Amino acid sequence: MSLSAYVPILFLFALAAAFALFSVGVSQIVGPKRANRAKLEAYECGIEPSPEPVGGGRFPVRFFLVAMLFIVFDIEIIFLYPWAVSFNALGLFGFVEMLLFIGTVLIAYAYVWRRGGLDWD
Amino acid sequence: MLALLAQSPTLAQGSTLLAQDPTLADFGRDPWWLILIKVVFAFIFGAIGTVLGVWFERRLVARMAVRPGPNQVGPFGLLQTLVDGIKGMLKEDLLPRASDKVVFFFAPTISAIFALTALSVIPFGPVVSIFGHQTPLQVTDVPVAVLVILACSAVGVYGIVLGGWASGSTYPLLGGLRSSAQVISYEVAMGLSIVAVFMVAGTMSTSQIVAAQASGARLSLFGWEPSWGYWPGWYALLLLPSFVIFVIAAFGETNRAPFDLPEAESELVAGYMTEYSSIKFLLYMLSEYVAMLTMSAATVTLFLGGWRAPWPISLWDGANSGWWPLLWFLGKVTLMLFLFVWVRATLPRLRYDQFMRFGWKVLLPVNLAWILLLAGGRVAWSGNVESGTRWLLVGGMAVTILLIGLLWPARKPEKQRSVAEQVAARPTGSFPVPPIDLVVPPSPRARRVVAERAPANVAIGSGESGESETATDGRGA
């Protein structure tokens, strides 16, 4: 088992990238170019678009909170994967260790739940 | 239950493995031209899968809605998607004035590229002979192959969120944000659901997971082991909770109905795709369908026995060798696609808060509890644990579950706020939306009728809405 098994992933990546960029490029050439002011406005159901600073307007902080929570639980999952793969070798010791780890995360989870961090109102 | 708890047959035993079953050592030794053939095959699988998948979905949804669906271009309308694609390519590619030009250009390509890259670790079949070369029918396999699929589907969301952000418009921004929050929430559920698969299979490589599902443990009834008796090997049956959670998470991860909130047309026009036109819009469509295809293939690989023949066919000796498995694989993927379309045609879209609550408050704890239950059971019945420790474990788990159930922080029921309180509680500078009291205002016509009957009533009752009333009257006259 060497790194050469990873090379075909790069091959497929390169082929997909070539396809995507090629098709976008072809469309630039064959497509018509008849832009006018109304076409280039942001779409807002036909009314004048509300002004918005370039780089995004304001958005609810909930999205940020979800991203933070995701990091916590994604790291938990990343810890679970190698443990699951070598579960048979670890036996009772591994199980108790993981129980302690998940218990710790569960306390944080209960806290977030109680504080309303999982609600979307 | 006992089959789950028993140690899975390790691959070293090799009793159930045939010569056609690839091992990890079989990968990474193909000559360059063979890699190229396989890569092109996987790419065409994605491209043709999209063309046929769109047709399949439109026909099927049409049938379910008692319509004929696209049936004009080519036999049974098969070429409809292809023609639509060519037409889309010949349309004008608009670059909105408010957009971030570079990011707007590259965002759809990111989505499409990573959706296609995920196909590289999907096992399509066993070892076959291509131009005299014995090689597995799979682009490649690595010890962390399932992580490659997860990583690709997670990076694909960059295309969506960047596209939404770069459009410089309100609806795409909200659609992109919704999508990112949705995908990461359901990624947690999906990541946890496959922990059980890794635990039972003892590997993260896709071809080995398929091999591990070849046959289940020996059927054992209190020591009696009939020679014909094997448990089913498919993890969809052995690990049913994981399978159900994985499929639900796959719907959330691919932004498919009933979880297609990022492009909910009744709320967000077309979500992150609103400002996109021509080929860039098509690339988003392509990546959505390829992601659906990849998720179906991943479900088949992880839970439905991969390319192995289903039960009645597997009795035939040649079913799992040569090129036949490709057929079984495609059949299973088609069934999964059918499920995707069926659910879309059946279920209405969820509300966003319900959707997020379901992911975080239902799928996550159920998943964790199932993993711990499975792990505890496997440890307790693994054979090298004394019976005293075993019952201590079972008792300990029961006490833990009881304690968590008792101590779980209950939520106080919120008291119903009146409309005036709701309006007062709004932060300063928020949009002037009307209070949600669900009282339908009387129509101008009804109001006029009342006014004709008793003019004094309206004069007293109109109060603050007097302005709009005069306006209505002026238009009516």
Side-chain angles (χ1 to χ4, degrees):
Chain A
M1 191 60 223
S2 63
L3 282 180
S4 62
Y6 290 84
V7 173
I9 300 179
L10 294 180
F11 269 59
L12 188 57
F13 176 83
L15 183 67
F19 163 75
L21 293 176
F22 170 77
S23 52
V24 171
V26 166
S27 158
Q28 298 287 331
I29 296 165
V30 298
K33 289 268 173 291
R34 286 190 293 273
N36 58 37
R37 192 174 161 278
K39 270 189 197 172
L40 296 183
E41 287 292 346
Y43 179 78
E44 213 161 300
C45 306
I47 59 170
E48 284 283 312
S50 50
E52 184 179 310
V54 175
R58 302 190 304 170
F59 59 83
V61 74
R62 288 268 167 213
F63 289 109
F64 178 72
L65 200 63
V66 167
M68 287 292 117
L69 285 176
F70 165 71
I71 292 176
V72 173
F73 285 100
D74 212 32
I75 288 174
E76 182 190 3
I77 292 171
I78 289 300
F79 278 132
L80 278 172
Y81 279 174
W83 168 78
V85 169
S86 52
F87 180 76
N88 291 339
L90 292 174
L92 185 60
F93 171 75
F95 177 63
V96 173
E97 286 283 301
M98 193 42 73
L99 217 54
L100 292 177
F101 174 64
I102 289 183
T104 324
V105 177
L106 215 60
I107 292 170
Y109 179 68
Y111 174 75
V112 171
W113 187 318
R114 186 73 174 84
R115 290 299 301 265
L118 304 178
D119 296 329
W120 197 282
D121 294 315
Chain B
M1 187 67 185
L2 287 175
L4 268 183
L5 305 175
Q7 296 293 327
S8 59
T10 51
L11 299 173
Q13 286 169 352
S15 57
T16 57
L17 292 185
L18 301 168
Q20 305 93 326
D21 284 287
T23 61
L24 267 180
D26 288 333
F27 294 95
R29 31 174 81 177
D30 295 331
W32 65 269
W33 54 268
L34 198 54
I35 296 177
L36 217 56
I37 289 178
K38 287 196 206 170
V39 162
V40 170
F41 172 79
F43 177 77
I44 287 178
F45 175 77
I48 301 276
T50 303
V51 169
L52 292 182
V54 174
W55 170 82
F56 181 69
E57 170 163 14
R58 289 182 63 186
R59 287 286 285 195
L60 215 57
V61 168
R63 286 284 168 205
M64 289 174 183
V66 206
R67 294 180 283 120
N71 61 358
Q72 294 300 307
V73 190
F76 308 108
L78 267 171
L79 299 177
Q80 182 70 50
T81 320
L82 199 66
V83 175
D84 283 347
I86 294 169
K87 180 188 170 191
M89 214 159 173
L90 296 173
K91 291 289 171 188
E92 181 172 5
D93 195 2
L94 290 171
L95 195 65
R97 226 155 28 91
S99 65
D100 186 309
K101 307 285 184 294
V102 179
V103 180
F104 187 82
F105 184 88
F106 281 109
T109 59
I110 294 175
S111 264
I113 290 170
F114 283 98
L116 284 165
T117 308
L119 286 172
S120 57
V121 289
I122 299 292
F124 293 99
V127 174
V128 294
S129 169
I130 300 177
F131 298 123
H133 261 274
Q134 291 289 321
T135 179
L137 201 54
Q138 178 176 3
V139 175
T140 188
D141 195 8
V142 291
V144 290
V146 179
L147 278 191
V148 173
I149 299 177
L150 280 184
C152 285
S153 71
V155 175
V157 79
Y158 273 101
I160 291 174
V161 73
L162 286 179
W165 172 80
S167 295
S169 175
T170 311
Y171 295 120
L173 178 71
L174 288 176
L177 283 169
R178 270 192 181 187
S179 174
S180 61
Q182 165 174 346
V183 171
I184 61 180
S185 299
Y186 277 67
E187 181 128 327
V188 171
M190 176 176 277
L192 278 176
S193 68
I194 48 183
V195 166
V197 173
F198 296 153
M199 207 190 294
V200 178
T203 175
M204 283 163 85
S205 110
T206 46
S207 67
Q208 303 310 300
I209 288 174
V210 172
Q213 295 177 67
S215 71
R218 284 295 291 273
L219 194 64
S220 170
L221 282 175
F222 305 108
W224 176 59
E225 292 189 350
S227 60
W228 43 265
Y230 284 100
W231 285 90
W234 288 11
Y235 291 152
L237 300 172
L238 293 179
L239 310 169
L240 186 66
S242 295
F243 175 63
V244 172
I245 291 170
F246 185 86
V247 171
I248 293 173
F251 283 101
E253 189 94 349
T254 48
N255 298 331
R256 288 281 311 181
F259 303 148
D260 55 347
L261 297 145
E263 38 189 310
E265 63 270 13
S266 51
E267 302 160 25
L268 293 174
V269 188
Y272 55 91
M273 295 195 273
T274 305
E275 297 294 337
Y276 279 93
S277 56
S278 182
I279 190 71
K280 292 190 190 126
F281 176 78
L282 292 180
L283 281 181
Y284 271 131
M285 289 293 281
L286 175 88
S287 56
E288 184 185 327
Y289 275 87
V290 174
M292 203 165 97
L293 216 59
T294 313
M295 277 302 153
S296 303
T299 314
V300 168
T301 303
L302 294 175
F303 292 101
L304 298 177
W307 44 261
R308 287 181 178 281
W311 171 64
I313 308 173
S314 62
L315 294 177
W316 169 45
D317 284 336
N320 283 328
S321 58
W323 290 86
W324 283 108
L326 190 58
L327 190 66
W328 318 140
F329 177 78
L330 292 180
K332 287 178 189 177
V333 169
T334 311
L335 276 181
M336 278 306 297
L337 287 180
F338 177 80
L339 183 71
F340 270 88
V341 177
W342 191 12
V343 167
R344 181 198 149 175
T346 310
L347 297 179
R349 182 180 299 132
L350 263 74
R351 219 170 56 200
Y352 199 68
D353 60 327
Q354 294 171 334
F355 170 75
M356 293 301 268
R357 189 170 60 217
F358 183 64
W360 285 103
K361 292 189 176 176
V362 178
L363 291 186
L364 184 67
V366 167
N367 228 329
L368 275 177
W370 161 243
I371 291 171
L372 288 183
L373 201 70
L374 184 70
R378 277 175 77 86
V379 164
W381 271 273
S382 64
N384 47 21
V385 176
E386 295 163 32
S387 72
T389 323
R390 175 181 305 169
W391 294 116
L392 198 69
L393 261 173
V394 173
M397 269 163 68
V399 168
T400 314
I401 291 169
L402 208 67
L403 273 180
I404 289 176
L406 282 177
L407 296 180
W408 194 258
R411 201 170 148 211
K412 282 178 292 183
E414 281 178 19
K415 65 176 172 53
Q416 193 75 32
R417 291 195 297 186
S418 71
V419 176
E421 278 171 333
Q422 279 178 38
V423 173
R426 237 179 249 145
T428 48
S430 52
F431 291 110
V433 287
I436 311 166
D437 52 358
L438 297 179
V439 175
V440 182
S443 73
R445 184 157 164 256
R447 228 188 268 178
R448 261 204 307 279
V449 171
V450 174
E452 277 163 17
R453 243 184 256 145
N457 276 352
V458 181
I460 297 161
S462 64
E464 54 190 4
S465 64
E467 237 178 64
S468 66
E469 202 170 299
T470 45
T472 323
D473 286 344
R475 212 188 309 143

